[in-house]
């Protein structure tokens, strides 16, 4: 389905009239009248006696902004000139709501043994709950239009300086996305430099200036240096915001496309990868973005190619006729750019068709078209304007490796006898990617592999080790696959066979650490410990293998992640019983 577009009304379409210096009386405004933080809001200003009297008589008006109070007092005195009546209005309207809150806070501190900060938070939370329950977006918008714009802007500027009230605005904006006041408040918050807080506020994406500011800040951070694991959370939040609606998705992809055409500091490949990750995120949310994908890969001059590709992406199924069309176009002298074949969904469909048994029946007459197109996507190089097919040798070798590996995986027979051929083909990243999917399918489906046969299951796991050793960029894909297999229950296996299979999986986790994927593995194992997700004997085996593998010096992050595992009584005591206290202390001292 399509991304939903946000049709919320823009508050900027009806800006308030701003008062100028001539609109305020030339009175001495140096006098400071104290005010309570988080007051109910601005009051209306008028030169007429009637309006001034009504304003002065409002509850706690004397606690409002000093300039506003003095302006109303001056207007009243100019028209009425009765100081006693002025005093009666101000004193009669005083209720002391803010002072009552302060008294209540003092009671909480003195009689309930709460800290001053806790008491303040309790009162603010209660006020926020009452505002949330009674909030009427229509009434609020109507009242804001009638307010003095200067006073309102001053009040809003002060309000958004406090985190608790910004959080309240975010919460209300999630519920009332069409409220003009809340949209204006979101824009004000963004302009005050609080974009980082809006990562979990989809309503912020409804305002283009707000979204642009956030997108610019996030992309600058992600492109400033090489991507590492510490940036994963930032990337996830960026993808969430960009996938908020159809407009935000298209805007983000067009921006990334243009950045990739004029790469800065050689980061063009990173920008293209971000575009692919964004497309995958939209697909994972069930959105059909095929019409944008085929137009943003530089193939718009090849309508037959884009039409065939979009037809398959929209249906999420490969079609032999469309595949033949693409094959013929990429065989001609002026082929479309390879970027069209590198669209994430198409690559996934193609690798599944070629490597997963029983995935999609491919007519033998068309099999060569599938293999060739995947080889082009993996090995061909795009120049600035067209596809470079001059590296025919590399393309032919890639095509041959894909064909050989595909034949072995699709038949799912003679895997043990053909393991050497598979390992040779694994040096090509595209083959390694396809084989990982084949291994997971075989090990998770009882029809794919007899897990009770240790030797047979070990062959598949050897392939995983080979991919982890030679393809660092695929390690983040290997870990989730191992986690799913580790957590899966196999009803056909008895308890002992289940344990033996999972021991072999634990050895794969250790190997993944050995080749450099350390912190994600330790984080997962720590999660297994805290959630009781795994048999404790498996965690003990993991810790023993890791302690035997590592040696000083140790990084702080490594020690911080391994320490909870080592210090767990169930694990430490078992190691002590097995190796003796002296050996156990020696092995564990590094993380104690």
């Amino acid at each position: 389905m399509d991304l939903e577009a946000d049709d919320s009304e823009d508050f900027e379409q009806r800006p308030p009239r701003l008062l100028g210096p001539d609109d305020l009386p030339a009175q001495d405004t140096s006098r400071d009248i104290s005010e309570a933080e988080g007051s109910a809001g601005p009051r209306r200003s008028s030169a007429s006696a009637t309006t001034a009297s009504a304003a002065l008589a409002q509850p706690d008006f004397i606690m409002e902004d000093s300039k506003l109070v003095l302006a109303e007092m001056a207007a009243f005195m100019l028209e009425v000139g009765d100081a006693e009546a002025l005093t009666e209005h101000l004193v009669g309207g005083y209720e002391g709501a803010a002072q009552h809150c302060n008294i209540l806070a003092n009671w909480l501190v003195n009689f309930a043994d709460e800290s001053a900060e806790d008491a303040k938070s309790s009162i603010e939370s209660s006020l926020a709950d009452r505002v949330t329950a009674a909030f009427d977006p229509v009434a609020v918008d109507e009242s804001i239009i009638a307010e003095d714009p200067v006073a309102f802007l001053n009040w809003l500027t002060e309000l958004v300086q406090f985190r608790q009230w910004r959080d309240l605005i975010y919460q209300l904006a999630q519920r009332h996305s069409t409220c003009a006041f809340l949209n204006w408040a979101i824009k004000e918050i963004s302009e005050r430099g609080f974009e980082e807080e809006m990562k979990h506020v989809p309503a912020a994406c409804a305002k283009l200036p707000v979204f642009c500011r956030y997108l610019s800040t996030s992309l600058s951070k992600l492109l400033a240096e090489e991507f590492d694991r510490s940036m994963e959370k930032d990337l996830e939040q960026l993808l969430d915001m960009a996938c908020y609606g159809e407009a935000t998705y298209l805007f983000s992809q067009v921006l990334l496309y243009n950045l990739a055409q004029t790469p800065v500091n050689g980061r063009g490949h990173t920008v293209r990868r971000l575009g692919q990750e964004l497309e995958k995120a939209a697909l994972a949310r069930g959105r059909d973005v095929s019409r944008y994908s085929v137009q943003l890969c530089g193939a718009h001059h090849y309508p037959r190619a884009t039409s065939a590709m979009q037809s398959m992406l929209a249906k999420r199924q490969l079609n032999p006729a469309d595949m033949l069309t693409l094959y013929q176009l990429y065989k001609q002298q002026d082929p479309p750019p390879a970027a069209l074949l590198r669209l994430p969904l198409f690559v996934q469909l193609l690798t599944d068709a070629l490597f997963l048994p029983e995935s999609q029946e491919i007519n033998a007459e068309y099999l060569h078209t599938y293999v060739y197109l995947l080889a082009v996507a993996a090995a061909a190089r795009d120049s600035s304007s067209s596809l470079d097919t001059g590296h025919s040798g590399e393309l032919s070798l890639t095509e041959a490796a894909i064909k050989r590996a595909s034949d072995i995986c699709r038949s799912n027979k003679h895997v043990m006898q053909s393991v050497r051929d598979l390992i040779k083909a694994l040096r090509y990243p595209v083959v390694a990617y396809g084989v990982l999917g084949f291994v997971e399918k075989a090990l998770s489906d009882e029809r794919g592999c007899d897990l009770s046969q240790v030797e047979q299951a070990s062959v598949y796991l050897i392939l995983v080790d080979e991919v982890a050793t030679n393809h660092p960029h695929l390690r983040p894909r290997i870990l989730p696959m191992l986690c799913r297999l580790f957590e899966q229950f196999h009803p056909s296996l008895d308890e002992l066979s289940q344990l033996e299979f999972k021991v072999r999986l634990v050895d794969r986790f250790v190997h993944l650490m050995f080749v450099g994927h350390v912190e994600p593995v330790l984080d997962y194992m720590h999660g297994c410990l805290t959630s009781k997700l795994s048999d404790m004997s498996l965690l003990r085996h993991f810790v023993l293998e890791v302690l035997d593998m590592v040696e000083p010096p140790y990084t702080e992050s490594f020690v911080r992640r391994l320490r909870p595992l080592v210090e767990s009584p169930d694990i430490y005591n078992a190691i002590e019983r097995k190796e003796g206290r002296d050996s156990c202390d020696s092995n564990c001292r590094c993380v104690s």
Side-chain angles (χ1 to χ4, degrees), residues 61-292:
F61 182 77
I62 196 173
M63 304 301 298
E64 293 296 335
D65 180 76
S66 58
K67 292 183 178 180
L68 175 61
V69 175
L70 291 173
E72 294 289 359
M73 291 171 61
F76 183 86
M77 291 300 296
L78 286 173
E79 294 295 329
V80 180
D82 188 344
E84 185 176 351
L86 172 62
T87 304
E88 289 179 356
H89 279 306
L90 291 176
V91 174
Y94 177 72
E95 295 179 354
Q99 285 65 36
H100 281 87
C101 290
N102 291 334
I103 292 173
L104 180 59
N106 289 332
W107 287 353
L108 291 174
V109 172
N110 295 328
F111 302 114
D113 293 330
E114 288 193 17
S115 66
E117 189 62 31
D118 289 341
K120 179 174 178 288
S121 297
S122 297
I123 293 174
E124 289 172 347
S125 297
S126 298
L127 290 173
D129 291 341
R130 294 193 63 182
V131 170
T132 301
F135 189 83
D136 183 348
V138 176
V140 169
D141 288 346
E142 291 176 352
S143 65
I144 292 301
I145 295 174
E147 293 293 349
D148 169 16
V150 172
F152 168 71
L153 288 175
N154 290 339
W155 169 75
L156 182 59
T157 300
E158 181 181 0
L159 182 72
V160 300
Q161 297 302 317
F162 299 97
R163 176 59 188 265
Q164 67 273 21
W165 304 127
R166 294 199 301 273
D167 289 340
L168 176 61
I169 291 173
Y170 300 149
Q171 181 182 354
L172 292 173
Q174 299 277 53
R175 299 185 180 186
H176 310 284
S177 60
T178 60
C179 178
F181 160 69
L182 293 174
N183 288 332
W184 194 357
I186 289 288
K187 180 174 180 292
E188 182 72 16
I189 292 172
S190 175
E191 291 177 350
R192 298 297 169 183
F194 299 107
E195 295 94 347
E196 288 294 314
E197 296 177 1
M198 297 186 179
K199 295 175 180 178
H200 302 292
V201 187
C205 299
K207 310 300 292 180
L208 184 59
V210 176
F211 178 72
C212 288
R213 192 175 292 109
Y214 170 78
L215 184 62
S216 174
T217 302
S218 299
L219 287 179
S220 298
K221 183 177 180 180
L222 290 172
L223 298 176
E225 51 190 278
E226 288 296 329
F227 185 84
D228 57 33
R229 189 167 179 263
S230 64
M231 298 181 181
E232 288 181 357
K233 188 174 182 181
D234 294 326
L235 176 59
E236 291 176 3
Q237 292 168 339
L238 172 62
L239 298 179
D240 285 339
M241 295 287 278
C243 290
Y244 169 73
E246 186 173 13
T248 56
Y249 175 83
L250 182 58
F251 182 90
S252 303
Q253 284 287 29
V254 171
L255 177 61
L256 291 172
Y257 174 78
N258 282 279
L259 286 176
Q261 305 309 307
T262 55
V264 180
N265 299 328
R267 306 309 299 275
H269 64 288
T270 304
V271 176
R272 286 189 290 271
R273 177 62 185 273
L274 283 175
Q276 292 177 346
E277 291 297 324
L278 178 54
E279 182 179 348
K280 289 164 62 177
L283 292 170
R285 290 163 172 79
R287 313 289 175 78
D288 179 15
V289 295
S290 57
R291 60 188 181 280
Y292 302 132

Side-chain angles (χ1 to χ4, degrees), residues 484-503:
R484 288 190 292 269
L485 293 173
F486 189 70
E487 297 169 13
Q488 184 177 352
F489 176 75
H490 300 274
S492 64
L493 299 180
D494 57 40
E495 187 174 347
L496 181 58
S497 298
Q498 292 258 14
L499 192 61
E500 289 177 350
F501 176 65
K502 291 191 175 184
V503 167

Side-chain angles (χ1 to χ4, degrees), residues 14-33:
R14 41 194 179 105
R17 183 181 70 86
L18 300 180
L19 296 179
D22 296 334
D23 295 307
L24 298 177
Q27 303 290 336
D28 179 14
T29 59
S30 60
R31 177 184 172 193
D32 181 24
I33 299 179

